[in-house]
Amino acid sequence: MAFKVSSTALPVVPADLQRIPLVQNQRGLGWISDRVTAVTEGTPPMWWWVCFIPSLLCLGMLGFMLAYQITTGVGVWGNMKPVMWGWDIINFVWWIGIGHAGTLISAILFLLRQRWRTAVNRAAEAMTIFAVMCAGIYPALHVGRVWFDWWLFPIPNSNGPIWPQFRSPLMWDVFAVSTYFTVSVLFWYMGLIPDLAVMRDRAKTRIRQFLYGLFSLGWTGSNRHWSNYEKAYLILAGLATPLVLSVHSIVSLDFSVSQLPGWHTTIFPPYFVAGAIYSGFGMVLTLLIPLRKLCHLEDIITMRHVDIMCKVTLATGCIVSYAYAMEFIIAWYSGSPMEQFHFMNRALGPYQWAWIPMMGCNMLLPQLFWFKKVRQNVFIIFIMSIFVNIGMWFERFVIIVVSLHRDFLPSSWGYFKPTWVDVCTYIGTFGLFFTCFLLFMRFLPMIAISEVKGVTPQADPHHPLGGAKHEEALPDDED
Amino acid sequence: MSKTIPPTCPEPETGRQYWRSLDQLAEKPEFRQWLEREFPAGASEFDDPVTRRHFVKIMSASFMLAGIGLASTGCRRPLEKLEPFGQQPSDYVYGVPQFFATAMPTRCGAIPLLAKSYEGRPIKIEGNILHPDSNGGTDRWAQASILNLYDPDRAKRFSKGGVVMRSDDAIAFLSEISKKYAANQGQGLAFLIERNSSPSRLRLQKVISQKMPNAKWFSHEAIDMDVHRRAASQAFGASVKPYFKYDAAKVIVSLDCDFIGAEEDAHSNIRKFVDGRRIKNPGDSMNRLYVVEALMTLTGMNADHRLRSPANAVAQVAEALAAEINGQGGSAVPAGVDPKWVSECARDLLANKGQSLVVAGYGQPLAVHVVVNAINSALGNIGKTVVLHETSDLHEGGIADFAKAAASFETIVVLGANPAYNAPVDVDITKALESAKGRILRLGYFEDEIFPYCEWHLPLAHYLESWGDAFSGDGTLVPVQPLIQPLFGGLTEIEVLARIAGEEKTSPYDIVRETFTGISGSNEDAVWRKFLYNGFLENSAAKSVSARSAGSASSAGAKAAALSKDNLEIVFYRDYKIDDGRYSNNGWLQELPDPVTKLVWDNTVLMSRRTAHELGVKNSDVVEVKVGGRTVSGPVWVQPGMADYVLGLALGYGREWNGRIGYQVGFDAYQLRTSDTQGFATGATISTTGKTYPISTTQNHWSMEGRPIIREANLSDYKEHPDFVEHMNGEAPPGGFRPMYPNPFDTNEKTGRPAGHHQWGMSIDLTACVGCSTCILACQSENNVPIVGKDLVARGREMHWLRLDRYYTGDVQKHKWNGLRTDNETFQDTDRQQFEEWIDDPQVVTQPMLCQHCEAAPCENVCPVNATVHDQEGLNLMVYNRCVGTRYCSNNCPYKVRRFNFLDFNKRSIKELKGPFYPPFFAKGAFAKWLKDPQDPKAGMRQDDEWDLIEMIKNPDVSVRMRGVMEKCTFCVQRIQQAEIAQKVKARDTGNILVPDGAESKDPTALKTACQQACPAGAIVFGNIADPESKVSKLKAQQRNYSVLDFLLTKPRTTYLAKLRNPNPQMPDYREPYSLGEYETKDPNPFEEEHHEEGAAAEKGMK
């Protein structure tokens, strides 16, 4: 791995202590541009169509399901008394959780100067935006009278001074989610501008040239542009950082503000954020492991990246496990019979079948990541990353459905079952997600080209190969 | 809100005359004549514009058009036509409801009622509080009967051989019959009637019998309550009918007698029973109820001592009891019964001679009733708790006699009865009707099972459409007064009889008036008007016949059959909802949770846990029940508290010829019922079919899980610790109570006065509540609560604002199954509860649960759009217009009393209620209709014929909610508003705008919630808690007062009075309420001294 060093002044670093470069195989800057934009240029590969067409069909099904639900009523879903929130809110929280990794990677890791983020942040941010779109469908459309959704916004109106109820956590949700979505989109677009300019410059058709030119906002790559860009990027990162923490905290308040045993708890905000990051990284792994292979990006999204993300998953998984354990301990310590009943009921009640996969996937499974061998095996990681999200789905199921189904008065206990419309709507949101994601990777650079270039060894001015002066000297072993 | 009295008829014509058509203007004699014939009931007053009858006629223009121009097409859908009054009736105010006293006839009596009418439409039934034998309470059937009036499936046409005829053809045919049989003394004429107490009908029957002495009379009731009369007549040797005074009894023994639920006059019995149990102070006494029964009935649920016993063993218990009372102890009791149970019960009876009462149920054979009469006689109860009223017996034949002779009659007039459906199976009624086919004239409310055999079918008028009369249970004469012209031109029984009798006066009004004159001895208008105004004839209650001693108990040597899993007993019982099937097309009743089982839209094969275990069946398994070579199949339901080896089969289901609601709901238990086994049959077997059938219930979980939701104690313990409920309060979280909203009791900062003038609250006495479920229907009727259908009930979407929680409590020692005791059984699937041993002999508690109107309501602060808010008078309001339907309020409601319109329930057609729950947005035509006019509120789902009638039943004071909106109990805010406005109008300058307490008022317009008004037990009391003198305040001041889930600090405005039981300490099954044992598994005993002292010390420490 060591480079041929021409200068003798540098101390020799032992091989195993050397920093592993973020871009492997000494890839040059031009190669990076070529490789990343290659996905968007030329005819799409077969696998893209194989993924895209089913996704589009699922998206169509989503449209049909939502039309059915809006025209007929929430009753087409399985929601019932006492479980008034079912798959609608489960999937809302689940998708919002997934939407956490992107902005965390791009904003918090940016502030923390985690240079490895550059290889994954673009795709992760895109994932965030699409996941939040999927999530947003649910609160907007799960209400009984969709056409009055706008009443949740504080819009001056002539109906007497009727304002939303500012004490309601659902009201806070409206602000939290919409702000998060707006800032995430802005942040993502901000980061795209230099790369859009690259795309513009490489464009071979008038239409591409025009569109990429339009959206790159006249980027020339001048120093002034770069200077402004980086300031703005830093500011947006600063703005986005608290939002990463606030969105899921506020979503968790939907539950903790109520007085339902299983919901009424102060541990929820940190626990939800950790769970969200856990599931978000799970989804990033699920997406990027096949993509790096299919798009031949192994040198940019390296095993080191995968390894780091596995470690983050392990860490957040441990936080979530701690929260699970703590909920039981607090239920015992509180002395509240209702709380105690609830947690026993989670573990032993009729929904035990949901609790077991939740504990298995979120508490036990991530422990495998303690082993380096596991973290190096993309196949195992891929499977595990899927189970992470299955586990997180069950976590939301347990929190929402299991808490609601048996509350204070046994007379109103019930058993929730979803309907086919619930299931098809959920599958439909995958259609939306993957349609958007596949279009994104087809038309936009899914790796932040300029940022990756910035973390290559040759980008370092002090590097022997600094400034990429000797690019032509590097071996160009195309595979 | 005064009552309008219809003027006497005929009345001189006054005022200006209006014409309605050119013909009328022309006053052509043909038109005149035709009109007279068409509307014989009102012809004489037809052109008098100021009568109420004219008014309702205009409003129900549907009738006019159906009747006048288009009679040949029969049941045209009624067109609505609003016409202004030609002349404003003097005491009518638009938008103000009118009340009319009337009565609902039942088999042996009538329920005195006050019907509320809006713009000519009756919309709500209330009890007549002025009636001497009523507290204004009603029963389930009375509350739901108004829906039958607007049933789109009722018989709407006159038909002959299935062809639609004009009503005057039918009337002409009646006079033909009359002439024919008057000439031949009635040879070949037969009448098949149902029981009722109408003196007019009796009078006409006598007239016909005189004119046509050879005409035969038969009566048929599928569920015959006449056994009480027959038994008393036999025992006392005179034609008498017993009237039971449960309020005068200190000890009541029910031998399979469900006097709280299925017996005649149950609503009145409930009131009297509860009057003997109402406790104001710990020193008050309480009556005691012993029940011997096979099924778990409402009466058994309320028993202090309950003995599970097969129905056939009741006779033996009765004899053992009689022997004990006659001092010949030692008579054999059925196997498995503790002899001490019977002897101690007898001792308790003997200790209360003259203040005790033994009753036997309608399902028991005559012999048991005779024994019971002897016991009552021996106890000196006759004349005290059992009053005998003189009655007459027409010696009519039964259905078996009818079937035998049917082929020989030339003309058979069937008034109401439907033997084709509910005759005993050993009577070959099909053959009999087949042989009489083409010679039957039937007056019926539905074109049902008997319809294909009828030559003529005439629509029967609803009791709210017809003039009639009846005797209420105590023998008081009550009028049946119409509120609306017959919607489909139906006739009444008395009109048909009068026409057959060839009477001059055939208008039901005249007939009733004439009968009244005969009974009251006065033909004065004032007396008549007062009769109609009050809804009863004062001091007309039947005179009790002087007490005679009944013969000594017949020692028939009754021996209980030995039952086993191969020799089961079937008990056929009157369903709490659809009666004998007559209400099977009533959606409210179909969806009413059965007061005991909480099942909806079905009947099941009820059996005990042990029976099910031995037969190897479980809930929802379809089994074939076989007895006497006949089988029916139905799903199993394990019913806690049932006697072993007994199957409970509700009658009235499984109808093939009925309206769209009742069609094929459940299975038909009549298929197994013979003339000899009207009450119960032994020798039944069961075989499994391997199929399952979904059953819908509104309450899945049976146990209270030791939570202090319903708090109860024995009377003796309560006397020692009257504050026990306080010791069952949960531990509130530290930090105290910090309201989210200003407490409505707080003073207004500006005025220094309380923010609201009234503070509304409710108190529910759980000792009084017997669980009869009338309140649910009253609320449904008052508040336009829709029904959702069986499938949606299974999905937890029923809409009842008020529900009756019913919990079974059991011996904690038995909380195990097959010895595999686990402490975690609570957490298991609710399906498992049917296998647990503790349900074998449980106690039952019920609790009406409705919006608690919390002062610190958890629902309010979570609504993002402010759709549920608090008002200054302490009401938790639901603003439908503002609701977007996030359903968060329901999730945060600890009582789960909010109801969500998951679908457009008010627009769903009857078909969808019964089919798959998905409403067909894409169904044929619906979408196209919607595209054509999206604003059309009727676009889509319902058919036109449903719309026309179903719209009419809605209470105009209450919004009909659309889909996507949350709703819940409002404390009948519309009634509160009306009362407040009325009081403000009344107050004028006096400033006295406080609404007077309606709880004890006899004024029918006094402020009461619908549930309170309907409650026969008077368990629900609503009023102003800011007024310390109001009844509700006084009840809340009792020490038994507690709020459910007090530890959540929601501060509910609805509080409960703890339930008290009064078991006999000498009895072998004397025990503390089971619920206390369950409670103690988690919390300290509230009666233990130590705990009390600790509590007191802790309180002192706090101070």
Side-chain angles (χ1 to χ4, degrees), chain A residues 285-436:
Chain A
L285 285 168
T286 312
L287 289 175
L288 291 187
I289 287 174
L291 277 184
R292 69 192 275 273
K293 182 83 192 151
L294 291 167
C295 303
H296 311 293
L297 295 169
E298 288 99 332
D299 288 342
I300 299 174
I301 307 169
T302 65
M303 279 316 288
R304 187 181 157 208
H305 288 99
V306 175
D307 185 77
I308 294 170
M309 288 195 282
C310 288
K311 285 176 182 165
V312 175
T313 312
L314 173 61
T316 48
C318 287
I319 300 175
V320 169
S321 308
Y322 170 80
Y324 290 168
M326 197 44 71
E327 279 189 313
F328 275 87
I329 291 168
I330 294 290
W332 164 76
Y333 183 71
S334 70
S336 159
M338 296 295 172
E339 200 75 13
Q340 287 168 356
F341 171 83
H342 172 72
F343 282 95
M344 292 299 282
N345 187 49
R346 265 192 193 180
L348 301 166
Y351 281 113
Q352 197 180 33
W353 58 262
W355 185 77
I356 289 170
M358 162 183 132
M359 297 303 270
C361 297
N362 299 347
M363 212 167 178
L364 302 179
L365 197 71
Q367 307 307 325
L368 288 177
F369 283 139
W370 287 107
F371 302 103
K372 184 153 190 181
K373 274 199 173 152
V374 174
R375 298 201 304 270
Q376 293 298 324
N377 185 330
V378 283
F379 184 71
I380 295 181
I381 298 169
F382 179 69
I383 300 291
M384 280 175 65
S385 72
I386 289 173
F387 274 101
V388 163
N389 271 314
I390 292 176
M392 286 309 289
W393 191 90
F394 276 110
E395 181 200 290
R396 276 66 184 250
F397 182 90
V398 166
I399 291 174
I400 294 167
V401 171
V402 181
S403 304
L404 282 168
H405 92 120
R406 286 183 165 182
D407 68 338
F408 297 98
L409 302 186
S411 63
S412 48
W413 290 2
Y415 194 85
F416 165 86
K417 282 183 211 137
T419 64
W420 61 273
V421 187
D422 278 310
V423 178
C424 292
T425 310
Y426 181 46
I427 296 171
T429 55
F430 281 100
L432 173 64
F433 180 80
F434 282 110
T435 305
C436 291

Side-chain angles (χ1 to χ4, degrees), chain B residues 954-1016:
Chain B
K954 302 289 186 210
N955 181 352
D957 290 333
V958 180
S959 326
V960 175
R961 286 77 57 184
M962 74 173 302
R963 77 171 156 95
V965 171
M966 191 63 78
E967 58 185 69
K968 61 156 195 94
C969 158
T970 61
F971 269 172
C972 286
V973 67
Q974 67 282 5
R975 293 186 176 216
I976 296 175
Q977 289 303 313
Q978 276 172 353
E980 286 185 356
I981 291 165
Q983 183 60 30
K984 278 177 189 159
V985 170
K986 208 167 131 191
R988 293 185 190 271
D989 296 338
T990 64
N992 179 23
I993 57 167
L994 282 184
V995 174
D997 192 29
E1000 301 211 296
S1001 167
K1002 286 262 181 191
D1003 178 3
T1005 61
L1007 174 59
K1008 280 179 186 168
T1009 61
C1011 51
Q1012 175 189 18
Q1013 204 287 326
C1015 179

Side-chain angles (χ1 to χ4, degrees), chain A residues 64 67-86 88-89 142-149 151-152 157 159 162-171 174 253-260 263 335-338 340-346 348-351 400 404 406-415 417-421, chain B residues 698-705 707-709 731 740-741 792 794-798 803 805-807 824 826-830 847 849 856 858 860-866 868 879-888 890-896 898-904 917-922 927 930 941 962-966 1044-1045 1047-1048 1050 1082-1083:
Chain A
F64 183 84
Y68 182 40
Q69 190 264 117
I70 293 167
T71 51
T72 308
V74 182
V76 300
W77 288 343
N79 302 40
M80 58 178 289
K81 172 195 72 101
V83 185
M84 285 284 184
W85 287 348
D88 45 354
I89 301 298
H142 90 123
V143 301
R145 302 199 293 173
V146 176
W147 48 96
F148 290 134
D149 266 350
W151 285 352
L152 271 80
N157 57 64
N159 304 328
I162 300 180
W163 294 103
Q165 157 78 280
F166 291 103
R167 279 174 290 201
S168 168
L170 291 187
M171 182 75 250
V174 170
L253 294 182
D254 286 353
F255 306 108
S256 38
V257 162
S258 84
Q259 55 176 344
L260 192 75
W263 284 12
S336 159
M338 296 295 172
Q340 287 168 356
F341 171 83
H342 172 72
F343 282 95
M344 292 299 282
N345 187 49
R346 265 192 193 180
L348 301 166
Y351 281 113
I400 294 167
L404 282 168
R406 286 183 165 182
D407 68 338
F408 297 98
L409 302 186
S411 63
S412 48
W413 290 2
Y415 194 85
K417 282 183 211 137
T419 64
W420 61 273
V421 187
Chain B
T698 57
Q699 184 176 346
N700 291 293
H701 200 82
W702 294 345
S703 169
M704 207 154 52
E705 300 302 345
R707 299 178 180 183
I709 297 165
E731 200 177 327
M740 276 277 189
Y741 286 79
L792 287 187
R795 286 173 191 275
R797 289 162 183 186
E798 70 275 7
R803 64 172 197 261
D805 289 347
R806 181 270 295 115
Y807 298 103
N824 304 327
T826 306
F827 304 108
Q828 283 165 353
D829 208 315
T830 35
Q847 180 179 44
M849 184 50 73
E860 287 170 10
N861 65 312
V862 297
C863 174
V865 292
N866 265 324
T868 183
V879 189
Y880 306 126
N881 284 346
R882 182 66 182 168
C883 180
V884 299
T886 66
R887 310 187 290 287
Y888 197 174
S890 172
N891 286 340
N892 207 24
C893 172
Y895 309 94
K896 290 286 174 285
R898 291 176 156 263
R899 297 288 180 264
F900 186 64
N901 287 277
F902 279 99
L903 299 167
D904 236 337
F917 90 91
Y918 297 103
F921 164 67
F922 301 101
F927 187 53
W930 180 77
M941 318 198 201
M962 74 173 302
R963 77 171 156 95
V965 171
M966 191 63 78
V1044 177
L1045 306 178
F1047 57 89
L1048 291 176
T1050 51
K1082 294 180 178 142
D1083 296 275

Side-chain angles (χ1 to χ4, degrees), chain B residues 19 21-31:
Chain B
W19 48 275
S21 68
L22 290 173
D23 281 353
Q24 196 187 359
L25 179 67
E27 279 286 357
K28 283 186 182 163
E30 307 92 289
F31 181 81

Side-chain angles (χ1 to χ4, degrees), chain B residues 3 116 136 227 250 306 338 346 427 504-505 600 694 732 827 916 956 1099:
Chain B
K3 293 195 281 182
K116 187 176 179 183
V227 66
K250 284 235 157 66
R306 180 171 178 275
D338 187 347
V427 172
E504 269 173 42
K505 288 181 181 171
V600 297
F827 304 108
E1099 264 171 38

